[in-house]
Amino acid sequence: MESKGYHVAVVGATGAVGQQMLQTLESRNFPISKLTLLSSERSAGTKIFYKNEEYIVKAAKPESFEGVQIALFSAGGSVSRELAPEAVKRGAIVIDNTSAFRMDENVPLVVPEVNEEDLKLNKGIIANPNCSTIQMVVALEPLRKNYGLQKVIVSTYQAVSGAGVAAIKELEQQSQAILNGEEFTPSLLPVKNDEKHYQIAFNVIPQIDTFQENGFTFEEMKMINETKKIMHMPELQVSATCVRLPVVTGHSESVYIEVDKLNVTADQVKQLLLEADGVTLQDDPAQQIYPMPAYCVGKNDVFVGRIRKDLDQSNGFHMWIVSDNLLKGAAWNSVQIAESLVKLKLV
Amino acid sequence: MESKGYHVAVVGATGAVGQQMLQTLESRNFPISKLTLLSSERSAGTKIFYKNEEYIVKAAKPESFEGVQIALFSAGGSVSRELAPEAVKRGAIVIDNTSAFRMDENVPLVVPEVNEEDLKLNKGIIANPNCSTIQMVVALEPLRKNYGLQKVIVSTYQAVSGAGVAAIKELEQQSQAILNGEEFTPSLLPVKNDEKHYQIAFNVIPQIDTFQENGFTFEEMKMINETKKIMHMPELQVSATCVRLPVVTGHSESVYIEVDKLNVTADQVKQLLLEADGVTLQDDPAQQIYPMPAYCVGKNDVFVGRIRKDLDQSNGFHMWIVSDNLLKGAAWNSVQIAESLVKLKLV
């Protein structure tokens, strides 16, 4: 079976992440014997090419998963909550890119560079973490392993593609309207179903997802809780401020951490990250080398730079972490989980 | 004399900040008996209207300051270094918006809401702090006064107008080129005289001003050192990561602080800031109310929101601070200093 490949389903095949999943499966040459492309009723009938072959996207139903071995879900939480159990019932392993099951204690939440072994505990569903969380833990794991980790304070600089194709369009249309001196009415960001919508072009919105009782947004709580779960550190101190920017793709993060070990140098941290899986170190201030979203788009790695020791706290470090939110933040991490499942003979 | 007003000079009258200084002097109806507009040789001859009267901008020279009582400088550090002492020699008080004298121990560095009394120590030159520093200390001073302050970690989201009129043009031209699918060559940001220039439209650049030996940029070190000086707290722990965004005007800051006093609540912090001079509290998550640069442009206040207690550190708070970098960050703070000098009979 393995030589021929697997029956793979992509749920949400017409969305921003679904498109990237297909491109990633193709570029990685993932072993596929049969490909089923699924979507909402609304997008059913769309034609998509995969490896020069035309596929017609079908509306996702419980029966769609008959015979499917690996199902990649990225069609929103409610679709996953409804159909992921149906897929599992029919024998598929689900890799879910929504927040539906991430904090479920029976569901492993996996970033292969950090906790690939957790895949062995899966009961059919594996959750792909939030985009902002993934890129941060990839950069922090080598430090945790070598120096211990006590505290993380992150401020994010997030791209609109995290809110889907419609948000990209809104940014582009608003930008053009402002450059033309024309009127416009924001209708999508920060949160489609919230009451108020704000300008995103040439602006900054300090709200991603809805507000929780404690004053943090759900996006911020995702970063906090998911980081602890992935790293197996319920005691880790994490806080986050999540901010939406007029950038199409590529999330950036300004991260402050405190490690356990004293007297670690910035050069030691750089050396660790230079050798770390999935990380590209871009850190040479004298040459103005540091990561930026516009130059990270389309790349699978997590880019880290601006690493420097805090001026007061001897175990404190600052760093700047950038990655393509549609790739390592979503599609690539999902496909990477599928590759790990194959490698560990779990599928 | 006071009833008639003062002989005021504006050096750098044609620049982004100079223009705002003139608008602010006009809207505040600052008592001016004579107005002298100065600039570089290059911009000399430009015509500018002030209160419906036409002025011709002249090239700034030592003799330009004969009879000037208040000189507002915003034409770059080298101009200030050369001409501010000449203005003082001729009897003027200089309010300097460049970084030339900010860390000079003989020069008060003043944000009126924080340390107006320091004006009394002036020996002719008063420095206006960096834009990012000003808005932060206005928001933090009420907390320092009531609860004590131990630690500040700030990540900035800075607009291009901080880099002048040419940077605004570069952002607009690049944005249009990208929307048209056209090629372009970045030529200004992050730092005009640095070797490399990067795309700013739909991108994020984690460099403002040049890099220092310790891996921090000069902008970051300005925030660190100026905050300590303005607050008279050399022992305060401050760190900063300064980032340039595709926003025209309005700097935002994600700020984490630790106060001395334990058991302070977020509601108490909000109440303090509601009553604070120069602060507008915009903090109602349930109504999606928080500060954003696009909605703060043209206003003198510092806007604060997203105030919440850290989930682990009982003396830790997060907040989001936004202000018009050309007004409170530059022109308005300078004019406000001039008003304080009049009020305190120091001019």
Side-chain angles (χ1 to χ4, degrees):
Chain A
M1 188 71 195
E2 213 176 306
S3 61
K4 284 182 168 177
Y6 303 88
H7 180 178
V8 173
V10 175
V11 186
T14 60
V17 172
Q19 292 285 322
Q20 293 290 329
M21 281 175 168
L22 289 166
Q23 280 184 32
T24 305
L25 288 165
E26 185 163 344
S27 68
R28 296 291 299 181
N29 204 19
F30 189 83
I32 295 179
S33 58
K34 186 177 175 186
L35 182 63
T36 297
L37 302 187
L38 303 169
S39 72
S40 62
E41 284 284 359
R42 194 169 44 82
S43 300
T46 306
K47 288 172 184 170
I48 286 180
F49 279 86
Y50 180 83
K51 289 196 173 179
N52 298 321
E53 214 169 298
E54 188 181 88
Y55 290 80
I56 294 175
V57 180
K58 293 188 185 129
K61 291 181 185 128
E63 335 42 284
S64 313
F65 298 94
E66 294 292 348
V68 169
Q69 293 170 287
I70 300 173
L72 300 166
F73 274 71
S74 189
S78 58
V79 173
S80 290
R81 268 184 292 271
E82 186 194 335
L83 292 177
E86 298 290 343
V88 171
K89 210 187 288 175
R90 287 164 178 82
I93 287 198
V94 168
I95 301 168
D96 182 31
N97 189 47
T98 77
S99 64
F101 302 103
R102 285 181 191 149
M103 296 313 296
D104 185 327
E105 56 183 22
N106 292 310
V107 173
L109 181 68
V110 176
V111 178
E113 290 88 346
V114 181
N115 62 336
E116 188 182 47
E117 290 292 309
D118 286 354
L119 291 173
K120 294 177 180 165
L121 307 171
N122 92 78
K123 292 170 179 157
I125 300 177
I126 294 148
N128 195 65
N130 179 262
C131 45
S132 318
T133 312
I134 294 175
Q135 66 184 65
M136 186 169 80
V137 297
V138 168
L140 297 188
E141 175 63 9
L143 307 180
R144 186 202 64 76
K145 229 192 286 183
N146 285 274
Y147 308 131
L149 193 59
Q150 286 178 9
K151 191 187 188 88
V152 179
I153 299 175
V154 55
S155 295
T156 71
Y157 300 68
Q158 294 183 233
V160 297
S161 59
V165 172
I168 299 174
K169 210 175 220 172
E170 178 160 270
L171 169 59
E172 289 174 348
Q173 287 173 344
Q174 280 182 12
S175 300
Q176 191 59 69
I178 290 172
L179 291 169
N180 292 352
E182 292 163 6
E183 299 280 315
F184 60 90
T185 306
S187 62
L188 182 61
L189 291 168
V191 178
K192 193 180 173 186
N193 294 326
D194 263 11
E195 206 174 310
K196 292 177 186 162
H197 300 107
Y198 299 118
Q199 171 185 336
I200 183 62
F202 305 106
N203 192 27
V204 175
I205 305 178
Q207 181 193 354
I208 299 182
D209 217 324
T210 50
F211 279 99
Q212 312 296 291
E213 277 292 317
N214 62 2
F216 287 76
T217 61
F218 190 45
E219 180 85 357
E220 289 160 357
M221 292 313 298
K222 283 188 241 175
M223 287 197 79
I224 292 166
N225 293 324
E226 294 180 16
T227 299
K228 295 179 187 194
K229 178 169 175 175
I230 297 164
M231 290 189 145
H232 299 176
M233 293 186 77
E235 76 288 5
L236 183 65
Q237 296 184 23
V238 190
S239 71
T241 300
C242 290
V243 180
R244 189 76 75 187
L245 301 189
V247 168
V248 176
T249 300
H251 287 353
S252 307
E253 296 172 346
S254 171
V255 181
Y256 170 74
I257 61 162
E258 288 175 9
V259 297
D260 290 339
K261 204 174 167 202
L262 298 176
N263 305 319
V264 175
T265 67
D267 282 341
Q268 287 174 312
V269 173
K270 289 181 199 176
Q271 190 58 38
L272 259 188
L273 289 172
L274 186 65
E275 295 160 3
D277 279 351
V279 172
T280 295
L281 184 73
Q282 292 186 327
D283 196 334
D284 187 351
Q287 300 296 318
Q288 292 178 268
I289 290 173
Y290 36 70
M292 287 176 280
Y295 304 96
C296 294
V297 172
K299 295 170 186 163
N300 283 343
D301 262 11
V302 172
F303 297 83
V304 187
R306 301 278 346 254
I307 296 163
R308 59 210 193 279
K309 196 155 181 161
D310 190 70
L311 299 175
D312 300 296
Q313 198 77 28
S314 70
N315 61 335
F317 293 90
H318 302 270
M319 59 185 70
W320 177 252
I321 303 171
V322 181
S323 194
D324 184 325
N325 53 300
L326 299 178
L327 291 178
K328 184 57 183 170
W332 164 231
N333 198 67
S334 291
V335 173
Q336 205 181 1
I337 288 173
E339 290 186 354
S340 293
L341 289 171
V342 172
K343 186 183 77 181
L344 297 172
K345 302 193 198 317
L346 295 170
V347 67
Chain B
M1 189 71 197
E2 213 174 306
S3 60
K4 284 183 172 177
Y6 303 88
H7 180 180
V8 173
V10 175
V11 188
T14 61
V17 172
Q19 292 284 323
Q20 294 290 330
M21 281 176 170
L22 289 168
Q23 279 184 33
T24 304
L25 288 167
E26 185 163 343
S27 68
R28 297 290 297 181
N29 203 22
F30 189 82
I32 296 179
S33 57
K34 186 176 176 187
L35 182 63
T36 297
L37 301 186
L38 303 169
S39 72
S40 62
E41 282 284 0
R42 194 167 44 81
S43 299
T46 306
K47 287 170 186 171
I48 287 180
F49 278 85
Y50 180 81
K51 291 198 173 177
N52 298 319
E53 215 170 298
E54 189 182 272
Y55 290 81
I56 294 174
V57 179
K58 295 193 182 122
K61 292 184 183 123
E63 323 60 275
S64 312
F65 298 94
E66 295 292 348
V68 169
Q69 293 168 286
I70 300 173
L72 300 166
F73 273 72
S74 190
S78 58
V79 173
S80 291
R81 266 185 293 272
E82 188 195 332
L83 292 178
E86 298 290 343
V88 172
K89 209 186 288 173
R90 287 166 177 81
I93 286 197
V94 168
I95 301 168
D96 182 31
N97 190 46
T98 76
S99 63
F101 302 102
R102 286 181 191 149
M103 297 313 295
D104 185 326
E105 56 183 23
N106 292 310
V107 173
L109 182 67
V110 176
V111 177
E113 290 88 346
V114 182
N115 63 334
E116 188 182 48
E117 290 293 308
D118 286 355
L119 291 173
K120 294 177 179 165
L121 307 170
N122 93 77
K123 293 173 177 153
I125 300 177
I126 294 149
N128 194 66
N130 180 262
C131 44
S132 319
T133 311
I134 294 175
Q135 67 184 66
M136 185 170 80
V137 297
V138 167
L140 297 188
E141 174 64 8
L143 307 180
R144 184 202 64 74
K145 230 192 284 183
N146 286 275
Y147 308 133
L149 194 59
Q150 285 177 11
K151 192 187 188 90
V152 179
I153 299 176
V154 53
S155 295
T156 71
Y157 300 68
Q158 294 183 233
V160 298
S161 59
V165 173
I168 299 174
K169 211 174 217 174
E170 179 160 90
L171 169 59
E172 289 174 348
Q173 288 174 343
Q174 281 182 13
S175 300
Q176 191 59 69
I178 289 171
L179 291 169
N180 293 352
E182 292 163 5
E183 299 279 316
F184 59 91
T185 306
S187 63
L188 181 61
L189 290 168
V191 178
K192 194 179 174 188
N193 295 325
D194 263 12
E195 206 174 312
K196 293 177 186 162
H197 299 108
Y198 299 118
Q199 172 185 334
I200 183 62
F202 305 106
N203 192 28
V204 175
I205 306 178
Q207 181 193 354
I208 299 182
D209 217 325
T210 50
F211 278 100
Q212 312 297 291
E213 277 293 316
N214 63 1
F216 286 76
T217 60
F218 189 45
E219 181 84 357
E220 289 159 358
M221 292 312 298
K222 281 188 245 176
M223 286 197 80
I224 293 166
N225 293 325
E226 293 180 17
T227 299
K228 295 180 189 196
K229 178 169 175 176
I230 297 164
M231 292 190 144
H232 298 175
M233 292 186 77
E235 75 288 4
L236 183 67
Q237 297 184 24
V238 190
S239 71
T241 300
C242 290
V243 179
R244 187 77 74 187
L245 300 189
V247 168
V248 176
T249 301
H251 287 353
S252 307
E253 297 173 345
S254 171
V255 180
Y256 170 74
I257 62 161
E258 289 176 8
V259 297
D260 290 339
K261 203 174 168 202
L262 298 176
N263 305 320
V264 175
T265 68
D267 281 340
Q268 288 174 308
V269 172
K270 288 180 200 176
Q271 190 57 38
L272 259 189
L273 289 172
L274 186 65
E275 295 160 4
D277 279 351
V279 172
T280 296
L281 184 73
Q282 291 186 328
D283 195 334
D284 186 351
Q287 300 296 321
Q288 292 180 269
I289 290 173
Y290 36 69
M292 288 178 280
Y295 304 95
C296 294
V297 172
K299 294 170 187 162
N300 282 344
D301 261 12
V302 172
F303 296 83
V304 187
R306 299 282 343 257
I307 296 163
R308 57 210 195 278
K309 196 155 180 161
D310 190 70
L311 300 174
D312 300 297
Q313 198 77 29
S314 71
N315 62 336
F317 292 89
H318 302 269
M319 60 186 71
W320 178 253
I321 303 169
V322 181
S323 194
D324 184 324
N325 53 299
L326 299 179
L327 291 179
K328 185 56 184 169
W332 164 231
N333 198 68
S334 291
V335 172
Q336 207 181 358
I337 288 172
E339 290 185 352
S340 293
L341 290 171
V342 172
K343 186 183 78 179
L344 298 172
K345 303 194 196 315
L346 295 170
V347 66

